[in-house]
Amino acid sequence: MAKLIDGKAFAKDLRGRIAGAVQELKTKHGFTPGLAVVLVGEDPASRVYVANKAKQTVEVGMNSWEHRLPASTSEADLLALVEKLNRDPACHGILVQLPLPKHIDSAKVLSAIDPAKDVDGFHVVNVGRLSTGQEALVACTPVGSVMLAKHTLGKLEGLEAVVIGRSNIVGKPVAQLLLAENCTVTIAHSKTRDLPGVVRRADLVIAAVGRPEMVKGDWLKPGACVIDVGINRIERDGKARLVGDCDFASCEKVAGAITPVPGGVGPMTIACLLHNTVKAACAIKGIATPAM
Ligand code: NDP
């Protein structure tokens, strides 16, 4: 049976280390990192995410600002708020919660965020820095996924890694991070031929597909490490449930280690957002980031 990779416990531990770093910045350097989250509209899932982000930001001792704007907000007004936050010296991280209402061009808004404050890591400047091996703010879920893989396997160098999914938000940045760890990386997607055969080569599988329980145990190399990024809402036996992109029941019989859903990658995302905010604050202040 596979070892269970406890993302919830790892994220809690990471938040503890972040709180220590924030305290150190306050006492040694006299400033408090601050994160502004902007929510446009009333999307219920987004409201929950934003509330959780604000709560955890305050819990680690950072400043938190929530800007809740009506769904009717114009693109120009949103861009003006982003510009104001870009100029605010107390604000070190800006996150605009996606999805935005249809009348707003998300790409335009994301590229208006100062790359130095882009704690979601979606700005093309940060994407370009990541892919050219420079210091960058990197998207939170990919960072969290690779942290869990390293925590489980130690050094990743030389491993065969297969990333299923090539989105800008998860698949591509995960692949870049694994390349930086000296893995041999394959990116699979909906046009990949013989996906089970490709996955079977992998020592490390990262699934970010959005298809409930797609990856089966008999696709895996025995002992492989499986990081399941998928979060899919399904109904089973008349009950609503969250499942990943991997069929946990069959995969746990073959894998060496596996993340559960929920409780695997999910809790890492906000912890990595806080991690990025401390990194951004230190870079803006021109000081070394404390160990976290
Ligand atoms: P996208 O829909 O943007 O991308 C999905 C990718 O999977 C695409 O590259 C697509 O290929 C590929 N794909 C789709 N079907 C297949 C298939 N049958 N075989 C192989 N590849 C396939 O999703 P995201 O990357 O945004 O998210 C992926 C999953 O991760 C979702 O379940 C999402 O909920 C979850 N997620 C979890 C987060 C968290 O833990 N906090 C954060 C973000 C996402 P193609 O490019 O060819 O279309």
Side-chain angles (χ1 to χ4, degrees):
M1 274 305 201
K3 176 186 160 215
L4 210 60
I5 305 171
D6 188 345
K8 202 172 162 192
F10 188 92
K12 187 173 175 221
D13 199 52
L14 177 59
R15 289 197 303 274
R17 298 197 298 274
I18 294 168
V22 170
Q23 192 53 44
E24 187 180 325
L25 293 174
K26 285 182 189 177
T27 50
K28 280 198 189 154
H29 299 279
F31 80 98
T32 304
L35 171 66
V37 178
V38 181
L39 173 65
V40 185
E42 302 291 328
D43 180 61
S46 294
R47 285 173 72 113
V48 173
Y49 292 142
V50 166
N52 281 337
K53 283 168 186 169
K55 181 170 168 273
Q56 294 189 26
T57 305
V58 171
E59 277 170 5
V60 298
M62 297 202 281
N63 289 326
S64 162
W65 300 277
E66 261 182 86
H67 295 269
R68 289 173 178 248
L69 308 177
S72 57
T73 302
S74 70
E75 187 180 281
D77 283 350
L78 179 57
L79 289 170
L81 173 60
V82 167
E83 200 39 56
K84 191 170 153 230
L85 295 171
N86 281 344
R87 285 195 307 267
D88 180 352
C91 166
H92 308 101
I94 303 169
L95 184 147
V96 177
Q97 184 67 44
L98 300 177
L100 288 169
K102 289 199 170 38
H103 66 277
I104 297 178
D105 180 350
S106 304
K108 198 168 168 186
V109 173
L110 294 183
S111 62
I113 296 173
D114 179 349
K117 298 188 177 186
D118 168 40
V119 284
D120 241 349
F122 294 157
H123 195 291
V124 285
V125 166
N126 281 312
V127 174
R129 283 186 186 148
L130 170 65
S131 61
T132 52
Q134 300 176 61
E135 191 58 45
L137 290 167
V138 181
C140 304
T141 303
V143 170
S145 304
V146 174
M147 273 186 188
L148 289 181
K150 283 175 81 170
H151 171 67
T152 307
L153 297 169
K155 239 171 125 183
L156 303 183
E157 184 164 316
L159 296 184
E160 286 277 350
V162 171
V163 180
I164 320 174
R166 56 173 165 182
S167 72
N168 292 334
I169 292 175
V170 191
K172 283 181 196 153
V174 161
Q176 291 291 353
L177 288 169
L178 294 175
L179 204 53
E181 294 292 335
N182 294 319
C183 290
T184 302
V185 183
T186 303
I187 307 176
H189 46 77
S190 67
K191 306 291 184 291
T192 296
R193 273 184 273 151
D194 184 21
L195 185 60
V198 171
V199 171
R200 214 167 280 126
R201 296 204 300 257
D203 305 302
L204 170 60
V205 179
I206 301 205
V209 192
R211 304 239 180 264
E213 302 174 325
M214 186 185 82
V215 177
K216 307 296 178 198
D218 63 4
W219 295 19
L220 300 175
K221 181 201 265 193
C225 175
V226 179
I227 306 289
D228 189 349
V229 182
I231 302 178
N232 308 290
R233 276 161 235 279
I234 62 158
E235 205 177 294
R236 182 168 291 151
D237 306 327
K239 282 190 197 148
R241 290 194 50 179
L242 281 188
V243 298
D245 291 336
C246 301
D247 173 30
F248 188 85
S250 63
C251 287
E252 75 163 342
K253 294 194 179 93
V254 186
I258 185 167
T259 54
V261 177
V265 173
M268 293 298 292
T269 298
I270 298 182
C272 290
L273 172 69
L274 306 178
H275 194 264
N276 270 354
T277 306
V278 173
K279 258 182 76 174
C282 293
I284 289 168
K285 293 278 180 184
I287 58 175
T289 307
M292 287 183 278

